[in-house]
Amino acid sequence: MPWDAVTTGAGGPLDAPAGEPDGAGGTTNDSDWAQELFSAVRCAGVLLVLLLLVDWGAGRITPWRTALWFALAGLLFAVVCPDRVSAGGNWLASRRLGRERRVRTDLLVSVRCLDGISRRIVLRDALGGRVEIDPEVLVRNPRLWSRLDEGARKAAADGILLCGATALVRISHQVDRETARAVFRVSGLE
């Protein structure tokens, strides 16, 4: 059921029973994370090799410059390294370089879209948890979206979700659009 029903109050999730308990149904992960991580490693590696080749070709390679180029490549990797997004029964987590942030989706109080150079969605729960993710992760992984959607619907039904229905509607439409395109591609109707 689309999020429009939640915002208009037309039946649906507001009348539905409470969601599954925590941990039910296993964990869902971002299916493209490994490929994006490999791309980040490749970018940092290419930069490092190019910098070392330029120094070697110019005859200016020294241990301290080599250490500087390794540090620069490491910094690039840290900037482009993707978040690993996973979800389970009533929770969503984002892990980046050893630090994990987690929210309870059934206790969401706000969902905000930040538009800028890179679009982000910020989820906050009643326990003080905060997760910031790229909405494209949800669009590419309908199972992750489904987990977030289940919990957010429960939060809306319980009256906890104070703001963010519009952001969820936009993401829902985007997920539906991409899912339809995938079905058309697979069936050869595109």
Side-chain angles (χ1 to χ4, degrees):
M1 175 179 296
W3 264 95
D4 298 339
V6 172
T7 58
T8 60
L14 298 178
D15 301 326
E20 297 175 4
D22 286 329
T27 302
T28 302
N29 294 304
D30 179 5
S31 58
D32 296 332
W33 179 78
Q35 182 179 0
E36 291 178 7
L37 180 67
F38 179 70
S39 293
V41 169
R42 189 174 51 215
C43 286
V46 166
L47 176 68
L48 176 64
V49 167
L50 287 176
L51 290 171
L52 290 174
L53 282 175
V54 167
D55 260 6
W56 179 67
R60 301 180 72 189
I61 195 163
T62 62
W64 69 269
R65 285 177 67 97
T66 302
L68 177 67
W69 300 146
F70 269 96
L72 189 60
L75 180 63
L76 175 65
F77 174 75
V79 169
V80 298
C81 182
D83 296 348
R84 183 170 193 165
V85 180
S86 57
N90 294 327
W91 60 268
L92 185 127
S94 174
R95 179 179 300 215
R96 182 179 181 114
L97 296 177
R99 185 176 70 185
E100 182 178 83
R101 295 182 182 256
R102 184 180 289 237
V103 291
R104 289 277 309 263
T105 57
D106 60 335
L107 298 176
L108 285 177
V109 293
S110 108
V111 178
R112 297 189 188 269
C113 280
L114 303 176
D115 293 325
I117 293 174
S118 89
R119 288 184 50 216
R120 307 297 282 169
I121 185 168
V122 180
L123 308 166
R124 292 181 188 267
D125 67 15
L127 304 173
R130 180 183 181 275
V131 169
E132 188 174 323
I133 62 172
D134 182 358
E136 285 299 314
V137 171
L138 299 172
V139 172
R140 287 190 318 256
N141 298 281
R143 292 176 65 201
L144 280 174
W145 164 248
S146 175
R147 292 295 184 126
L148 173 60
D149 187 44
E150 283 175 30
R153 285 180 189 276
K154 183 175 181 328
D158 293 343
I160 298 171
L161 185 61
L162 303 175
C163 73
T166 304
L168 291 171
V169 168
R170 285 196 311 183
I171 295 170
S172 176
H173 289 313
Q174 207 173 355
V175 169
D176 291 344
R177 210 173 19 252
E178 287 303 315
T179 302
R181 284 185 185 144
V183 168
F184 286 140
R185 268 193 303 271
V186 168
S187 63
L189 296 175
E190 187 176 50

